[in-house]
Amino acid sequence: MRIQFYTDDDLSMKINEDVEKLGVNSNAIVIDILKKHYGLIPATKLSNVELRTKVFSEIEEFVKKKKDSEGFDINEASETYRKIEMVYAGKPSAIKAQIGKEFNRMVGEKPFEKVEQIFENGKPKLTISNRAAMYRVIN
């Protein structure tokens, strides 16, 4: 379904503040708000935008503390990411894959400019246990 609506200046300003602060588009913010309002995201669960923000914050802290160039994956770097369920309300949840892909696009750019993906024989190195992409901190 496609819904179009117009906001007043105050609401637009508040949404744009979140867009800038969280680094997501306004559509994601509005969808999260509506899902919470209609009970599609329980009050005890984080919305997709909140999950994304928390995961990237945890990865950023992990990268700051990691001193060696030993490989890591997102599951190791973020407890929140590790706990994201693959199924939500009986349906496959795509948020874990979306966050992983977004992190991969952010590698090499702020705040992950000192992170690179590990390649072996021209192919991305994956963990054996969960087939997640491997990264390392560049010192």
Side-chain angles (χ1 to χ4, degrees), residues 15-107:
I15 291 172
N16 284 329
E17 285 174 8
D18 281 350
V19 165
E20 291 295 319
K21 181 175 72 176
L22 300 172
V24 296
N25 64 42
S26 57
N27 190 53
I29 292 169
V30 172
I31 287 173
D32 275 358
I33 291 167
L34 290 172
K35 282 185 173 184
K36 277 193 171 186
H37 176 79
Y38 287 106
L40 299 174
I41 299 174
T44 58
K45 297 264 186 186
L46 296 174
S47 71
N48 287 357
V49 172
E50 292 166 329
L51 267 176
R52 177 199 169 281
T53 302
K54 188 171 183 181
V55 167
F56 288 131
S57 175
E58 289 175 357
I59 295 171
E60 192 173 348
E61 284 302 309
F62 177 86
V63 167
K64 284 179 186 175
K65 293 176 185 174
K66 191 137 178 89
K67 298 294 181 203
D68 54 27
S69 61
E70 200 175 288
F72 70 92
D73 67 2
I74 302 176
N75 286 300
E76 179 184 351
S78 169
E79 181 180 355
T80 301
Y81 182 83
R82 191 170 44 252
K83 290 181 177 180
I84 295 173
E85 296 178 20
M86 296 300 288
V87 176
Y88 179 74
K91 300 176 186 172
S93 174
I95 187 63
K96 195 165 190 172
Q98 290 168 353
I99 290 173
K101 288 177 185 175
E102 186 173 356
F103 175 71
N104 199 345
R105 285 190 300 270
M106 295 171 74
V107 166

